Amino acid sequence: MRPLPVPVFEGLVADALDEVPAELMALLDNVVVLVEDRNPEEPELLGLYEGYALTERGWDYGGSLPDRIMIYREAICDICETEDDVVGEVTITVVHEIAHHFGIEEDRLHELGWG
């Protein structure tokens, strides 16, 4: 489908973040969630977590720039047929990338149905 306008898509990302349990959101540490059109190196990528998972942070972590969760608007819209499909895919992608922050790897996410 044709990409949704940026403000509409950002609203869907915000709605997906609102669906994450408050207990988990409280544990997100030094993370920013951003919307971009596409990943320049992998245009079909739906989302990306860049940073240090909580399981990888040691005593020397302090002072680091925020981790980034990127949600790619055009790539998600490319694989969806309807706006409802986009809503579902945004939610899956947001949860998937937040899970990486907690140190959950791709294989485990697929086992859990979030891949």
Side-chain angles (χ1 to χ4, degrees):
M1 78 174 275
R2 167 188 267 173
L4 295 175
V6 172
V8 172
F9 192 87
E10 287 175 341
L12 296 178
V13 171
D15 291 346
L17 289 167
D18 287 345
E19 294 297 317
V20 175
E23 301 83 26
L24 288 180
M25 288 302 288
L27 296 173
L28 284 181
D29 181 40
N30 201 29
V31 178
V32 62
V33 178
L34 302 168
V35 171
E36 288 193 359
D37 288 341
R38 289 191 189 277
N39 180 299
E41 295 166 11
E42 295 182 65
E44 72 286 346
L45 198 62
L46 305 182
L48 180 66
Y49 173 75
E50 296 177 327
Y52 297 97
L54 293 178
T55 55
E56 297 174 359
R57 295 180 184 182
W59 63 269
D60 58 344
Y61 175 74
S64 296
L65 291 173
D67 292 0
R68 297 177 354 145
I69 292 175
M70 308 301 298
I71 307 298
Y72 298 112
R73 179 178 68 96
E74 290 178 0
I76 288 176
C77 291
D78 282 352
I79 67 164
C80 295
E81 293 184 17
T82 68
E83 192 167 332
D84 285 342
D85 293 342
V86 174
V87 171
E89 192 58 52
V90 165
T91 301
I92 289 168
T93 304
V94 166
V95 170
H96 184 105
E97 301 310 327
I98 287 173
H100 286 315
H101 175 70
F102 290 106
I104 301 172
E105 299 294 331
E106 289 293 325
D107 291 344
R108 183 66 178 138
L109 283 169
H110 286 281
E111 288 173 12
L112 296 170
W114 292 101

